[in-house]
């Protein structure tokens, strides 16, 4: 086993370790140094000289561990990249943010291109925790939770030539977002462990969190503006949850907390990956609740708002990246606040020696004050400076405990400054003479001769069911009975459970494992472990009996089911008959609904709830009258309708315009499902006995056809990329934008296949015409903006905006498609300024208008 330390040895930054073992070249992390005084790139020449890379394994998504992945992956495109799914999502966000930063530095040549990042992301193979995965023949990789940040993993490699443990960055204590490091009794021949705080002991975490709340409270009462620069990944989410709980417990007075910078994008990745979070936080997300934002805590919408919130007289709290004030919005805020006596900056994390944040910490030791140089500008520091210890790295005692648990005889200490590493190394060597403690420096190589490899222990199920079919929901009871008999009290990963079911390892069948995990996530027989959401255990007999007992659904639960199942139907009201368990949907135009599709969804609704659902057959003639007025204007003299024939008859004045009247008739019949007679005659030739109901969206007039927004590649010679690759490029293009497609679909028309992007509304999609045209040019696909509206999201957005402004709706919002408006009924009249703010924000979020009606 040969170990080459290419970066991150006797330093913090640029973590990169190259290993030759069992005939393979393995790279552990590929970070970047962010100090302006050091070469940012690890020593990749050694890799070329020693035989190249066969696989890259990533511990977590901080830039000092992933920052050069596009470079090394481009050089070795056949090498697969292994990380957790959470780390994959975070890596995408962080590297694209890095691309934006490099573009701003006009005098520097970027380290890599967007295409390099895109290609690298396509080589990632995500692996879950505690899921042994054979990356090569007789070469097994297992990830274990490392604490530190969401998705972080300790790496354990077992080969025929020996075993190796790499901690990455880790912490043992439980944070608000994640649990601490969790590893079984491993037996590595070699252990590589981080020592960021190898010569320090941390303060009590609860004491430091309480101190942060007290500092914020004190500054608020002094009417100061408070900046908390945080690392966008990990630290920011911890600070948000600390303040959120403080508001909930009324430990802080009401004040606005603004979240800025890349923190906003990272928060979305947390919502996408609840399984990697602490049990309570993960369940909050699984239940559809917002984990970070409240009426007090909200994201900064745009650059203009930054200036506005600092101009206000009242106190405000700003949580923004970067954590060391080296860039991002936090540096902009610090420039403006540092020279003000009515401001405070609270440092919560590690600061590089050359960082502006370190300059501020040094001023804590200087009662005379000083200045801050940031962004090429020097400003006097008059603001209050404080430091709170919220580190996510293990301290000296935690490092010692980890090494004691691993009991490896060959230990390499990395990821720390020289003083910390040497102090801990000397203590470890003196404590046990049998240990071989190595303190490597960048560029050094070590050859480890293993005369006797340690015997490995692993979970191999003794009792297996030997099933030859895929696990299905109806198999839960069968597996639960078997579990009760053979594995009672065990908490197991999905891969281990699959082994019990099939009688063999099936790690390569990722789709089957994902489906199995989804079944367990919603099971009545099994539950996620209370501390580790990726492990499952069997419920007690009492819990199963209670879970299987029939439960009466509340009105809110019924309404949520209806919203989910019938989301494409534009109903305006729901009626409930609890005596006969029936829900009644009221439409403006019930005869235009797709009844075949509705009946299918009604069967699904009945099977999931035990309730029947039907459509109220009554047409809203008031709405039909408004529609006729919109279509025919002042020419409309008289209107009448015939219920039995489902027919409207109108009298028009003035000169006939057959073409326009025919188009208006078709639109009316398509929207209402009723026939229209104009001055006693039908303009469309539509016979309800032959054609039936028109159906929603059957007909589009010329204006709507023009508004379908189909984007065609400008260069017809561009090669059409594979469908999933196109979807990935679409995700990446929208990753940093304010809106993203709700759905991406493959469609077909007379000209062939095309991609359709569905947004909250077509108006939102049209805001990104340039982006979509660029995607069409890059992928070679025709791309269309769908003309559908996501009513669920419309209603959710208006409800959230109402909550933030203290507005309590009387009932659920109404959807008015012909006016592109959502209507909310309230009990009291509201100030015009509040109405204007809500309307502007809603229009910005959805492209739709909103109106408040007082009842």
């Amino acid at each position: 086993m040969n170990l080459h330390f290419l970066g991150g040895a006797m330093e913090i930054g640029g973590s990169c370790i190259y290993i030759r073992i069992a005939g393979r070249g393995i790279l552990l992390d590929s970070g970047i140094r962010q100090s302006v005084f050091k070469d940012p790139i690890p020593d990749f020449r050694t890799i070329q000289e020693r035989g190249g890379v066969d696989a890259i394994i990533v511990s977590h998504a901080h830039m000092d561990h992933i920052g050069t992945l596009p470079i090394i992956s481009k050089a070795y495109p056949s090498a697969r990249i292994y990380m957790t799914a959470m780390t994959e999502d975070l890596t995408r966000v962080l590297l694209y943010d890095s691309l934006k930063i490099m573009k701003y530095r006009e005098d520097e040549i970027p380290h890599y291109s967007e295409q390099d990042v895109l290609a690298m992301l396509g080589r990632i193979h995500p692996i879950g925790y505690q899921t042994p995965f054979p990356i090569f023949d007789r070469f097994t990789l297992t990830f274990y939770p490392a604490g530190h940040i969401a998705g972080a993993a300790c790496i354990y490699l077992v080969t025929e030539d020996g075993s190796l443990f790499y901690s990455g960055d880790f912490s043992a204590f439980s944070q608000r977002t994640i649990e601490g490091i969790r590893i079984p009794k491993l037996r590595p021949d070699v252990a590589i462990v981080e020592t960021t705080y190898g010569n320090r002991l941390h303060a009590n975490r609860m004491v430091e969190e309480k101190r942060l709340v007290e500092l914020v409270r004190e500054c608020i009462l002094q009417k100061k503006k408070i900046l908390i620069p945080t690392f966008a990944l990990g630290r920011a989410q911890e600070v948000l949850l600390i303040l959120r709980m403080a508001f909930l417990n009324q430990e802080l007075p009401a004040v606005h907390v603004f979240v800025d910078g890349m923190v906003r994008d990272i928060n979305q990745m947390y919502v996408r990956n609840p399984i990697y979070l602490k049990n309570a936080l993960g369940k909050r997300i699984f239940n559809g609740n917002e984990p970070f934002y409240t009426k007090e805590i909200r994201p900064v919408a745009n650059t203009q708002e930054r200036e506005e919130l600092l101009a206000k007289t009242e106190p405000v709290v700003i949580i923004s990246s970067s954590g060391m004030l080296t860039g991002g919005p936090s540096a902009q805020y610090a420039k403006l606040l540092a020279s003000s006596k009515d401001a405070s900056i609270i440092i919560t994390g590690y600061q590089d020696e050359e960082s502006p944040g370190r300059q501020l910490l040094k001023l804590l030791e200087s009662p005379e004050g000083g200045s801050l140089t940031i962004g090429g500008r020097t400003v006097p520091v008059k603001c209050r400076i404080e430091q709170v210890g919220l580190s996510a790295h293990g301290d000296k005692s935690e490092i010692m405990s980890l090494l004691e648990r691993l009991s490896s005889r060959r230990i390499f200490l990395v990821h720390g400054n020289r003083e910390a590493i040497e102090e801990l190394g000397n203590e470890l060597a003196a404590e046990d003479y049998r240990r071989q403690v190595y303190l490597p420096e960048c560029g050094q190589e070590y050859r480890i001769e293993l005369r006797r490899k340690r015997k490995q222990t692993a979970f191999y199920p003794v009792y297996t069911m030997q099933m030859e079919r895929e696990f299905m929901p109806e198999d839960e009871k069968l597996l639960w009975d078997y579990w009760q008999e053979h594995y009672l009290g065990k908490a197991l990963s999905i891969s281990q459970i699959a082994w019990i079911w099939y009688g063999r390892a099936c790690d390569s069948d990722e789709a089957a494992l994902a489906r199995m995990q989804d079944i367990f996530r919603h099971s009545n027989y099994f539950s996620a472990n209370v501390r580790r959401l990726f492990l499952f255990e069997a419920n007690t007999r009492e819990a199963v009996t209670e879970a299987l007992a029939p439960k009466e659904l509340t009105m809110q639960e019924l309404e949520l089911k209806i919203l989910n199942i019938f989301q494409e139907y534009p109903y305006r009201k729901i009626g409930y008959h609890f005596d006969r368990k029936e829900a009644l949907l009221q439409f403006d135009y019930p005869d235009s609904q797709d009844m075949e599709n509705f009946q299918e969804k009604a069967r699904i609704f009945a099977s999931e709830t035990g309730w029947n659902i039907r459509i109220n057959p009554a047409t809203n003639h008031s709405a039909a009258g408004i529609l006729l007025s919109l279509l025919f204007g002042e020419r409309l003299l008289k209107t009448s309708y015939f219920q039995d024939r489902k027919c409207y008859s109108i009298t028009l004045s003035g000169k006939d315009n057959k073409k326009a009247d025919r188009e208006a008739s078709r639109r009316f019949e398509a929207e209402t499902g009723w026939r229209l007679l104009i001055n006693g005659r039908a303009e469309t030739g539509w016979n309800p006995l032959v054609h039936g109901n028109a159906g929603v969206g059957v007909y589009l007039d010329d204006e709507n056809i023009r508004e379908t927004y189909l984007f065609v590649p400008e260069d017809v010679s561009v090669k059409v990329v594979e469908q999933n690759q196109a979807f990935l490029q679409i995700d990446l293009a929208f990753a940093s934008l304010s809106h993203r497609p709700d759905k991406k679909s493959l469609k077909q028309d007379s000209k062939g296949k095309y991609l359709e992007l569905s947004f909250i509304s077509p108006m939102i999609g049209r805001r990104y015409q340039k982006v979509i045209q660029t995607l069409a040019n890059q992928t070679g696909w025709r791309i269309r903006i769908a003309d559908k509206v996501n009513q669920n999201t419309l209603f959710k957005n208006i409800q959230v905006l109402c909550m933030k402004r203290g507005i309590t709706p009387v009932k659920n919002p109404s959807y008015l498609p012909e006016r592109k408006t959502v209507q909310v009924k309230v009990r009291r009249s509201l100030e015009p300024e509040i109405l204007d703010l809500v309307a502007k924000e809603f229009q910005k979020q959805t492209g739709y208008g909103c109106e408040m009606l007082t009842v």
Side-chain angles (χ1 to χ4, degrees):
M1 184 188 305
N2 284 16
L3 283 71
H4 305 263
F5 293 87
L6 314 182
M10 286 293 178
E11 64 176 353
I12 298 174
S15 291
C16 190
I17 304 169
Y18 178 63
I19 302 167
R20 294 297 306 182
I21 183 171
R24 297 285 186 173
I26 307 295
L27 194 65
L28 304 179
D29 287 337
S30 184
I32 194 167
R33 297 183 185 94
Q34 295 175 300
S35 170
V36 296
F37 300 105
K38 295 180 180 179
D39 183 351
I41 311 298
D43 177 20
F44 288 148
R45 184 184 64 180
T46 298
I47 296 175
Q48 291 180 313
E49 294 173 347
R50 298 298 193 277
V53 174
D54 297 300
I56 303 169
I57 307 173
V58 177
S59 64
H60 66 286
H62 276 146
M63 287 298 288
D64 62 329
H65 294 257
I66 64 166
T68 56
L69 274 177
I71 301 173
I72 194 65
S73 182
K74 183 177 183 179
Y76 297 96
S78 61
R80 292 183 90 177
I81 305 171
Y82 299 95
M83 59 180 71
T84 65
M86 179 80 175
T87 299
E88 179 183 12
D89 277 349
L90 294 170
T91 295
R92 181 184 301 109
V93 173
L94 287 159
L95 290 181
Y96 268 86
D97 182 75
S98 177
L99 280 173
K100 287 194 296 185
I101 293 172
M102 286 190 288
K103 287 179 182 178
Y104 289 135
R105 297 172 179 168
E106 297 179 357
D107 57 336
E108 295 182 18
I109 299 175
H111 299 308
Y112 43 80
S113 68
E114 183 175 353
Q115 187 57 43
D116 295 335
V117 174
L118 185 65
M120 183 276 296
L121 291 170
R123 299 176 188 123
I124 293 176
H125 183 93
I127 299 177
Y129 288 139
Q130 293 188 206
T131 303
F133 189 85
I135 59 176
F136 303 115
D137 184 34
R138 291 179 289 181
F139 206 125
T140 303
L141 165 65
T142 308
F143 285 148
Y144 294 101
H148 187 56
I149 62 170
C154 295
I155 294 166
Y156 193 49
L157 288 171
V158 178
T159 78
E160 59 185 345
D161 286 354
S163 58
L164 179 142
F165 176 88
Y166 172 50
S167 71
D169 293 354
F170 79 95
S171 62
F173 55 86
S174 175
Q175 302 177 56
R176 289 180 181 258
T177 53
I178 54 171
E179 297 289 353
I181 186 173
R182 293 287 184 274
I183 59 170
K185 189 71 175 176
L186 304 176
R187 296 174 58 79
D189 296 300
V190 174
I192 306 173
V193 178
E194 72 128 324
T195 54
T196 307
Y197 293 113
N199 60 349
R200 285 175 52 183
L201 297 176
H202 290 325
N204 180 276
R205 178 76 176 201
M206 292 180 63
V207 170
E208 290 298 291
E209 289 184 2
K210 184 176 180 181
R211 182 165 172 268
L212 174 63
V213 173
E214 286 299 318
L215 283 173
V216 172
R217 182 176 183 277
E218 187 179 318
C219 291
I220 290 172
L221 295 177
Q222 294 172 356
K223 299 191 180 302
K224 292 181 181 288
K225 290 181 172 57
I226 307 158
L227 171 63
I228 307 178
T230 58
F231 300 120
L233 171 53
R235 192 66 43 79
Q237 290 71 38
E238 290 290 313
V239 172
L240 285 173
L241 293 181
I242 292 168
L243 297 185
R244 178 184 173 126
M245 183 58 68
F247 282 120
L248 186 65
N249 295 335
Q250 299 183 339
E251 297 171 352
L252 291 175
V255 68
H256 287 306
V257 177
F258 291 98
V259 181
D260 206 349
M262 194 169 50
V263 180
R264 297 168 296 183
D265 296 324
I266 299 298
N267 285 350
Q268 293 178 21
M269 297 305 105
Y270 274 64
V271 174
R272 286 180 54 173
N273 294 274
I275 195 171
Y276 289 93
L277 306 180
K278 204 169 184 176
N279 189 288
L281 184 61
K283 285 186 175 179
R284 187 189 303 169
I285 296 170
F286 275 125
N287 292 333
N289 298 316
E290 166 56 49
F292 301 113
Y293 301 125
T294 65
K295 63 180 181 180
E296 296 93 359
I297 304 172
R298 58 177 178 167
V300 172
N302 50 47
T303 306
Q304 181 63 36
E305 192 173 350
R306 292 173 188 162
E307 299 170 4
E308 290 176 0
L309 64 90
L310 288 181
K312 296 177 181 179
T313 56
E314 63 264 24
V316 66
V317 181
I318 303 164
I319 300 170
S320 179
S321 54
S322 69
M324 299 187 200
L325 299 174
T326 52
S330 68
Q332 300 174 35
Y333 290 123
K335 268 192 243 180
L336 297 169
L337 295 177
S339 58
S340 172
K341 292 181 179 179
D342 295 324
S344 178
I345 300 177
I346 303 176
I347 303 293
T348 61
Y350 175 83
Q351 305 294 310
D352 278 341
E353 285 298 327
E354 302 87 10
S355 68
R358 176 67 70 174
Q359 294 178 45
L360 291 179
L361 291 184
K362 289 177 180 177
L363 295 181
L364 286 173
E365 306 165 4
S366 173
E368 297 83 15
S371 60
L372 171 66
T373 300
I374 186 167
R377 178 181 164 193
T378 300
V379 295
V381 177
K382 298 179 182 178
C383 68
R384 179 177 178 180
I385 303 166
E386 295 288 349
Q387 183 180 23
V388 177
L390 298 179
S391 174
H393 291 271
D395 66 1
K396 179 180 177 180
S397 65
E398 294 170 22
I399 297 169
M400 299 279 274
S401 296
L402 173 62
L403 291 173
E404 185 67 29
R405 183 169 182 79
L406 296 172
S407 66
S408 175
R409 296 302 175 203
R410 299 167 184 83
I411 298 169
F412 290 83
L413 302 182
V414 297
H415 199 287
N417 61 40
R418 184 176 297 275
E419 181 183 356
I421 289 177
E422 289 181 348
E423 183 175 324
L424 180 63
N426 290 332
E427 187 169 338
L428 288 171
E431 189 179 77
D432 188 344
Y433 70 91
R434 293 171 297 178
R435 284 177 175 153
Q436 297 177 22
V437 181
Y438 301 87
L439 312 182
E441 302 209 24
C442 290
Q444 287 188 334
E445 174 185 355
Y446 293 84
R447 181 176 180 83
I448 304 297
E449 297 287 348
L450 298 174
R451 294 183 179 85
R452 294 177 59 188
K453 295 183 287 293
R454 299 180 76 183
K455 186 177 180 181
Q456 300 300 308
T457 58
F459 175 82
Y460 296 104
V462 176
Y463 304 99
T464 61
M465 301 178 72
Q466 302 293 320
M467 291 295 180
E468 296 183 357
R469 67 176 190 275
E470 184 174 342
F471 183 80
M472 303 298 288
E474 53 267 27
D475 295 319
E476 288 182 71
K477 176 67 165 59
L478 180 64
L479 177 57
W480 183 79
D481 287 335
Y482 194 83
W483 194 310
Q484 292 287 314
E485 182 179 355
H486 299 290
Y487 297 102
L488 189 62
K490 291 279 189 182
L492 304 174
S493 68
I494 284 296
S495 63
Q496 293 169 334
I497 298 168
W499 197 326
I500 294 171
W501 176 258
Y502 294 107
R504 56 182 170 78
C506 61
D507 297 324
S508 58
D509 194 347
E510 298 171 35
L513 289 177
R515 289 191 291 270
M516 189 178 215
Q517 178 170 279
D518 189 59
I519 294 171
F520 269 72
R521 182 65 56 197
H522 301 92
S523 173
N524 291 318
Y525 292 89
F526 302 92
S527 297
N529 179 264
V530 74
R531 297 183 69 84
R532 292 164 289 176
L533 281 174
F534 58 91
L535 298 182
F536 293 91
E537 50 201 9
N539 292 339
T540 63
R541 294 187 183 277
E542 294 77 13
V544 170
T545 301
E546 182 181 349
L548 295 176
K551 295 181 178 62
E552 289 296 328
L553 295 174
T554 66
M555 187 180 296
Q556 290 77 12
E557 290 170 332
L558 281 170
E559 185 169 341
L560 185 60
K561 281 285 186 185
I562 293 171
L563 281 171
N564 288 335
I565 295 176
F566 298 93
Q567 57 182 297
E568 74 266 36
Y569 283 88
Y571 59 86
R572 57 185 174 85
K573 188 178 179 181
I574 308 173
Y576 300 96
H577 298 285
F578 284 89
D579 55 337
R580 57 178 186 263
K581 288 191 172 183
E582 182 182 71
L584 195 65
L585 296 187
Q586 294 185 14
F587 293 81
D588 283 338
Y589 311 119
D591 296 295
S592 69
Q593 307 310 311
D594 182 351
M595 290 306 299
E596 184 177 346
N597 184 52
F598 182 88
Q599 293 299 338
E600 178 60 32
K601 291 184 178 294
R603 283 190 285 272
I604 295 172
F605 179 77
S607 67
E608 293 185 5
T609 65
W611 279 57
N612 293 320
I613 190 167
R614 62 186 180 87
I615 293 177
N616 187 328
T619 296
N620 185 346
H621 295 293
S622 202
I626 293 172
L627 179 58
L628 287 169
S629 297
L630 289 171
L631 292 173
F632 297 99
E634 296 180 356
R635 295 177 62 211
L636 184 64
L637 295 179
K638 183 181 177 181
T639 302
S640 56
Y641 62 87
F642 305 94
Q643 185 73 42
D644 57 335
R645 288 185 286 164
K646 295 190 183 301
C647 175
Y648 261 83
S649 178
I650 63 172
T651 303
L652 299 181
S653 66
K655 187 178 179 180
D656 288 349
N657 186 339
K658 288 188 176 297
K659 183 178 180 181
D661 291 348
R662 186 180 299 113
E663 299 303 323
S665 295
R666 285 175 176 168
R667 180 171 174 183
F668 178 83
E669 291 168 356
E671 289 196 26
T672 67
W674 283 45
R675 189 183 183 192
L676 181 64
L677 300 178
I678 300 176
N679 295 336
R681 65 179 182 274
E683 295 291 339
T684 63
W686 176 71
N687 187 338
L689 296 177
V690 177
H691 296 94
N693 293 340
V696 177
V698 168
Y699 176 80
L700 290 173
D701 59 24
D702 287 343
E703 179 184 357
N704 282 333
I705 290 172
R706 288 195 300 271
E707 291 180 357
T708 52
Y709 285 86
L710 178 66
F711 299 86
V712 179
E714 294 169 342
D715 183 356
V716 294
S717 65
V718 172
K719 183 181 179 182
V720 179
V721 303
E722 191 268 333
Q723 173 192 334
N724 290 328
Q725 184 74 4
F727 283 164
L728 177 60
Q729 287 188 237
I730 291 169
D731 287 340
L732 295 175
F734 281 92
S736 60
L737 299 178
S738 300
H739 300 87
R740 300 176 188 180
D742 294 337
K743 183 180 178 182
K744 304 181 290 295
S745 309
L746 181 66
K747 302 284 185 177
Q748 187 160 356
D749 59 15
S750 59
K751 295 182 180 179
K753 294 181 180 179
Y754 65 91
L755 304 181
E756 184 176 83
L757 304 184
S758 300
F759 294 83
I760 184 174
S761 75
M763 288 77 80
I764 290 297
R766 293 166 198 165
R767 293 179 186 176
Y768 299 99
Q769 294 180 53
K770 291 183 179 178
V771 175
I772 298 173
Q773 183 62 63
T774 301
L775 284 165
N777 295 340
Q778 291 175 346
T779 64
W781 282 86
R782 294 182 299 140
I783 304 176
R784 186 188 298 276
I785 298 173
D787 58 358
K788 300 174 183 176
V789 175
N790 189 331
Q791 289 184 50
N792 277 348
T793 308
L794 283 180
F795 293 160
K796 179 181 177 182
N797 283 25
I798 193 63
Q799 288 167 340
V800 169
L801 286 173
C802 286
M803 181 182 69
K804 288 182 177 179
R805 298 292 177 182
I807 301 170
T808 304
V810 174
K811 54 180 68 176
N812 290 325
S814 301
Y815 171 57
L816 308 177
E818 68 278 2
R819 292 160 55 187
K820 293 183 173 60
T821 300
V822 168
Q823 192 179 81
V824 181
K825 295 180 179 179
V826 296
R827 293 194 186 279
R828 60 182 179 85
S829 58
L830 301 168
E831 297 176 6
E833 294 81 3
I834 294 179
L835 293 175
D836 188 52
L837 283 172
V838 172
K840 285 181 179 177
E841 186 63 24
F842 186 67
Q843 200 280 333
K844 180 180 176 183
Q845 291 176 356
T846 68
Y848 262 55
C850 71
E851 60 181 41
M852 303 282 181
L853 297 182
T854 305
V855 297

